Amino acid sequence: MARPREFDETAAVEKAMHAFWAHGYEATSTQDLCEATGLGRSSVYNTFTSKRALFRRSLTHYTSTQLGKRQAILDGPGTAAERIAAVLDHAVEDDLDQRRRGCLVVNTLAELGVPDDEVGAALRNDTERNLTMFAECVREGVLDGSLRDGLDPAEVAEFLLSTTSGLRVMARRGTSRQSMHAVADLALAAITR
């Protein structure tokens, strides 16, 4: 009779996520994952089947957590412009709080591109969900008068996603908090009244 698992699979995915986030996919070895999760090599492979499968689970865990945070801000109180400002501020401060690791999605895109597998599907899903959230907020901003008239919600959504991703890259290269906030302010000025 097989022994039941004696570990929290979600906690193991979270710990693996931090290992991948710190080192990237290629540079994170199976031994690194064993050390991060506290699991033996056989437990890692029996539970997750492969390093790639564990990475996909880690990436999906990361994106769902981050999307939830972003959605909460964009659904929060205030005008659309104030909520977008809060998202940009969060991108700066969260990255500085995370010891300048950047964004796991942005880091993965830089390392792997968008592969034609489940990892690529997770990356595409994250992009689409972000663009949808931003576009909806932009529509609201044009209606509430906090954003400029005539803005194309899809184009501004791409601009905002590119800006938040760029802020994450700025953090990784050691840019000052002041400079990062200045970029966020310029982005906001480009779309507000």
Side-chain angles (χ1 to χ4, degrees):
M1 182 173 189
R3 288 178 46 196
R5 289 189 185 138
E6 298 177 5
F7 63 90
D8 180 343
E9 196 169 309
T10 302
V13 169
E14 172 89 14
K15 291 174 182 174
M17 177 195 77
H18 285 286
F20 286 124
W21 195 0
H23 306 292
Y25 174 73
E26 293 294 340
T28 303
S29 68
T30 303
Q31 184 58 39
D32 294 331
L33 293 170
C34 291
E35 290 171 10
T37 61
L39 301 175
R41 187 177 293 266
S42 63
S43 291
V44 168
Y45 283 103
N46 288 338
T47 304
F48 302 107
T49 69
S50 68
K51 174 183 166 181
R52 189 73 166 195
L54 178 53
F55 179 67
R56 182 196 50 78
R57 292 266 312 266
S58 298
L59 183 63
T60 301
H61 174 70
Y62 175 87
T63 59
S64 67
T65 301
Q66 294 301 314
L67 285 165
K69 289 177 185 177
R70 184 164 287 170
Q71 187 72 65
I73 295 169
L74 290 173
D75 288 345
T79 66
E82 290 168 341
R83 289 178 278 144
I84 290 169
V87 166
L88 295 172
D89 183 63
H90 180 263
V92 172
E93 296 303 325
D94 184 54
D95 217 309
L96 296 176
D97 289 345
Q98 295 295 335
R99 295 167 298 190
R100 297 181 178 269
R101 290 190 290 181
C103 168
L104 182 57
V105 171
V106 174
N107 297 350
T108 300
L109 287 166
E111 181 181 5
L112 303 176
V114 183
D116 189 22
D117 63 8
E118 291 179 338
V119 170
L123 293 168
R124 285 187 296 278
N125 181 57
D126 179 72
T127 298
E128 289 308 312
R129 290 181 63 194
N130 270 290
L131 291 173
T132 299
M133 287 188 297
F134 277 133
E136 180 57 34
C137 192
V138 171
R139 279 186 206 87
E140 292 171 19
V142 171
L143 291 175
D144 74 22
S146 64
L147 299 181
R148 290 189 297 112
D149 289 329
L151 292 175
D152 180 303
E155 290 174 0
V156 177
E158 288 281 3
F159 171 69
L160 292 171
L161 184 56
S162 296
T163 301
T164 57
S165 298
L167 289 167
R168 300 296 200 150
V169 172
M170 290 175 73
R172 280 201 63 143
R173 68 179 166 84
T175 304
S176 72
R177 173 182 266 115
Q178 179 182 357
S179 292
M180 291 172 70
H181 278 295
V183 167
D185 291 344
L186 284 169
L188 193 60
I191 60 173
T192 54
R193 293 183 168 271

